[in-house]
Amino acid sequence: EVLLVESGGGLVQPGGSLRLSCAASGFTFVDHAVSWVRQAPGKGLEWVSAISGSGGTTYYRDSVRGRFTISRDQSKKIVYLQMNNLRVEDTALYYCAKDRLPMTRGIDYWGQGTLVTVSS
Amino acid sequence: DIVMTQSPLSLSVTPGEPASISCRSSQSLLQSDSGYNFLDWYLQKPGQSPRVLIYLGSNRASGVPDRFSGSGSGTDFTLKISRVEAEDVGVYYCMQALHTPYTFGQGTKLEIK
């Protein structure tokens, strides 16, 4: 069974930092890219970032590039999202999602999400 | 970025009746060398994470009832539910996965009459 368990969310002030973690199990970790997708309260889905199965290629949406960094630890089967200089508009439920392939070609499983609240 | 446009944004359907959701992209999602359309459909039930229904435009995901079907190519896609059931309530999203950033439609909220 594929499992994706996010952690690390919380309340942070604007300009602050958080590191999200996504612990994966139930599939061959290196064979799949992993994405982070967020959902602001009452809003739709917004893709944030992805990392290839090898970890050699990373992708970001423009609004987070330079502030967020995605990485993966192949031995621990964990994907991280380091979020710096957080803004109020980053407030959302952040989902970790498994891509079908080693490169970014679509999502087939989602975690339960971790809530990030940016507020003073 | 590829813009995804869904319609309608809300649907109210009587159980047993069909339902259809349209999704249009601002550029073709057909990858010429593979022949695949990189368009997925997801359902987010109330209080839950999204779940994939259809991938690559028309392939039903594992465990998805056969009353769900996806069709289309290029820029125009459709999700059809042949006979809506009460458990189908939620928000349906299309998503393009041809290029990053992945982009989603606005979502279509399905409710039962």
Side-chain angles (χ1 to χ4, degrees):
Chain A
E1 180 192 9
V2 172
L3 280 178
L4 301 162
V5 180
E6 303 94 334
S7 61
L11 174 62
V12 63
Q13 292 187 338
S17 298
L18 280 176
R19 188 178 78 160
L20 306 184
S21 298
C22 171
S25 61
F27 63 97
T28 304
F29 190 62
V30 300
D31 284 349
H32 297 272
V34 173
S35 292
W36 287 94
V37 178
R38 65 187 179 186
Q39 187 169 35
K43 302 296 184 182
L45 300 168
E46 181 177 77
W47 177 89
V48 174
S49 180
I51 187 166
S52 63
S54 68
T57 307
T58 56
Y59 310 85
Y60 301 93
R61 68 178 303 104
D62 286 348
S63 62
V64 308
R65 187 175 290 111
R67 300 188 297 125
F68 291 11
T69 302
I70 191 170
S71 61
R72 62 193 293 158
D73 184 323
Q74 307 290 43
S75 63
K76 294 182 178 178
K77 298 183 182 179
I78 298 176
V79 174
Y80 301 100
L81 186 67
Q82 177 68 42
M83 304 187 297
N84 298 329
N85 192 19
L86 282 160
R87 304 169 179 169
V88 171
E89 55 265 33
D90 295 319
T91 294
L93 184 63
Y94 282 72
Y95 293 104
C96 172
K98 168 186 166 288
D99 281 52
R100 281 193 297 275
L101 295 174
M103 70 291 286
T104 49
R105 279 293 181 262
I107 291 167
D108 59 0
Y109 286 94
W110 301 66
Q112 291 302 303
T114 186
L115 183 61
V116 171
T117 303
V118 185
S119 174
S120 55
Chain B
D1 297 358
I2 298 175
V3 177
M4 306 298 292
T5 304
Q6 285 182 234
S7 62
L9 299 185
S10 66
L11 271 177
S12 182
V13 184
T14 301
E17 294 297 304
S20 180
I21 301 170
S22 171
C23 177
R24 290 184 173 176
S25 57
S26 61
Q27 64 187 74
S28 177
L29 304 182
L30 177 63
Q31 187 185 56
S32 54
D33 52 356
S34 68
Y36 292 126
N37 284 281
F38 286 92
L39 185 284
D40 300 335
W41 289 96
Y42 300 90
L43 166 58
Q44 186 173 33
K45 294 184 178 183
Q48 296 186 16
S49 306
R51 166 198 178 193
V52 64
L53 297 175
I54 302 290
Y55 63 97
L56 298 176
S58 60
N59 295 275
R60 200 178 304 114
S62 175
V64 174
D66 60 8
R67 64 179 181 275
F68 290 92
S69 64
S71 63
S73 184
T75 60
D76 290 323
F77 299 88
T78 302
L79 176 71
K80 292 183 179 178
I81 310 173
S82 60
R83 297 172 305 280
V84 170
E85 297 187 5
E87 65 178 23
D88 300 336
V89 297
V91 181
Y92 291 79
Y93 295 94
C94 62
M95 184 194 84
Q96 68 80 20
L98 181 62
H99 296 299
T100 56
Y102 291 164
T103 45
F104 294 87
Q106 313 97 303
T108 296
K109 186 173 184 178
L110 176 67
E111 65 173 26
I112 301 297
K113 278 185 184 176

